[in-house]
Amino acid sequence: MNQPIVITMGDPSGVGAEVSVRALAARDPDLRRQVRVVGDRPTMARAAAVCGLDLPVLAPDDEGDGIRVEHIAVDGLPETFGVLSPACGEASYRYIARAVELTMAGEAACIVTAPINKAALNAAGHHYDGHTGMLAHLTGSKSSWMLLASERLNVVHVSTHVSLKDAIGRATTERVLETIRTGHRHLKRMGLASPRIAVAGINPHCGENGLFGREDDDAIAPAVAAAKAEGINVEGPISADTVYHRAYNGAFDLVIAQYHDQGHIPIKLVAFDTAVNVSLGLPIDRCSVDHGTAFDIAGTGKANHVNMLAALDYAARMGAAARG
């Protein structure tokens, strides 16, 4: 790999540092050298100690085996885990901004983000709905999408962190069509010649011919028809109470979910520890663990790093696809 994968440490009070050090400790030394953490070096060292690991925390250009950390100094960070703090929100933002800078400059292949706390982020004056919106802003992107990827089920969302009322309004023909196109492009890049895509309906039974609403007939069906006319292998709208079962059992490679919970609930049911959050539509590659800061267990050494390993593996696959 020519450029490193960059992990952003996430909220310093959360489990991001712990899952990062555990995941890096589980990789062999050659793979560890291909990863740089952007974060707080003392926090990473505390996390390593909490996890009982003796890997040294190094600067990015240091020799030897260890965890390489580009230190970003932020005043006022708490010295204990599990604290909701505006300083931690500021730190989270700065780590991500630096990772975007590195990746946009071609000095990093992909960003893997550890979890941030939205309340801390907003308390620091950075008013975003989460990573995806922040990354779209920092990269100058007009639109972005959230893909949740797992071994047997992949879901990309038409909308994510908005109210259900607003999500219905955002499910326009144009947005649904562009979501289909974006998912199609990504899966082709990842090696599928003709991805099989299913589009979930937004109403029960896709509106039952207008009995339960007209959105599926008036907005979603025309998007599917337009995508088919472009040669995309897509079906829908399909009732959301059956489409995920069909996809999980091999009928489809990707489901287009119309809103946050419609896509997140099935993924978290079948792949809670292994699903990876991937941002699509950006000029850079980014994926993430699909869990939160877990303040209640931060600093105890109990955090599970399996999801971070899955995110690092997916980042490596995206890097290989980009080079291929």
Side-chain angles (χ1 to χ4, degrees):
M1 182 179 294
N2 295 325
Q3 297 88 24
I5 292 171
V6 171
I7 296 175
T8 55
M9 193 184 77
D11 191 298
S13 277
V15 295
E18 291 173 65
V19 297
S20 297
V21 297
R22 281 194 184 279
L24 290 172
R27 299 170 81 90
D28 66 50
D30 287 340
L31 291 174
R32 271 197 292 275
R33 292 190 187 94
Q34 297 172 2
V35 179
R36 178 193 306 184
V37 178
V38 176
D40 182 72
R41 199 170 291 131
T43 300
M44 290 294 290
R46 283 200 304 274
V50 161
C51 295
L53 301 170
D54 59 3
L55 276 174
V57 176
L58 308 173
D61 296 326
D62 285 351
E63 296 294 328
D65 184 26
I67 298 171
R68 286 167 170 77
V69 179
E70 178 173 336
H71 179 70
I72 305 293
V74 177
D75 291 336
L77 292 184
E79 295 185 2
T80 57
F81 293 101
V83 178
L84 179 63
S85 161
C88 290
E90 178 63 28
S92 300
Y93 175 81
R94 292 191 195 179
Y95 305 156
I96 296 161
R98 175 57 178 158
V100 168
E101 180 183 358
L102 289 168
T103 311
M104 293 283 282
E107 296 177 30
C110 179
I111 301 171
V112 175
T113 54
I116 60 175
N117 183 283
K118 296 180 184 67
L121 185 72
N122 279 268
H126 302 293
H127 302 297
Y128 300 100
D129 62 352
H131 275 111
T132 306
M134 189 192 320
L135 288 162
H137 175 76
L138 290 170
T139 58
S141 303
K142 292 183 179 180
S143 296
S144 59
W145 286 263
M146 179 188 293
L147 164 71
L148 297 181
S150 69
E151 184 178 355
R152 291 179 58 177
L153 183 63
N154 297 285
V155 180
V156 64
H157 299 68
V158 172
S159 67
T160 49
H161 295 129
V162 296
S163 72
L164 185 55
K165 180 180 179 180
D166 287 346
I168 293 169
R170 292 192 185 198
T172 64
T173 299
E174 294 76 15
R175 177 70 180 182
V176 174
L177 176 57
E178 196 55 40
T179 305
I180 296 168
R181 289 169 175 159
T182 300
H184 174 74
R185 283 193 299 266
H186 178 72
L187 289 189
K188 286 195 72 174
R189 174 190 167 187
M190 299 301 286
L192 291 178
S194 180
R196 300 164 300 161
I197 300 174
V199 179
I202 199 166
N203 293 309
H205 309 294
C206 299
E208 201 77 71
N209 296 315
L211 184 64
F212 306 138
R214 297 289 314 171
E215 290 85 0
D216 292 280
D217 294 327
D218 295 344
I220 298 172
V224 174
K228 284 183 176 179
E230 295 176 6
I232 297 174
N233 184 1
V234 59
E235 295 182 31
I238 301 172
S239 183
D241 63 2
T242 62
V243 69
Y244 295 99
H245 175 76
R246 292 174 63 186
Y248 184 75
N249 285 293
F252 303 107
D253 302 304
L254 177 69
V255 178
I256 306 297
Q258 298 302 328
Y259 52 90
H260 182 279
D261 283 10
Q262 190 189 69
H264 276 62
I265 290 171
I267 276 280
K268 292 198 172 185
L269 177 65
V270 302
F272 188 85
D273 290 326
T274 56
V276 176
N277 181 331
V278 185
S279 294
L280 304 182
L282 303 177
I284 61 174
D285 285 333
R286 174 260 177 174
C287 60
S288 177
V289 297
D290 189 32
H291 61 72
T293 48
F295 282 171
D296 57 327
I297 62 168
T300 67
K302 296 178 181 178
N304 191 329
H305 64 288
V306 171
N307 206 203
M308 178 58 80
L309 284 172
L312 288 169
D313 288 344
Y314 202 93
R317 287 178 57 200
M318 287 197 291
R323 293 192 303 277

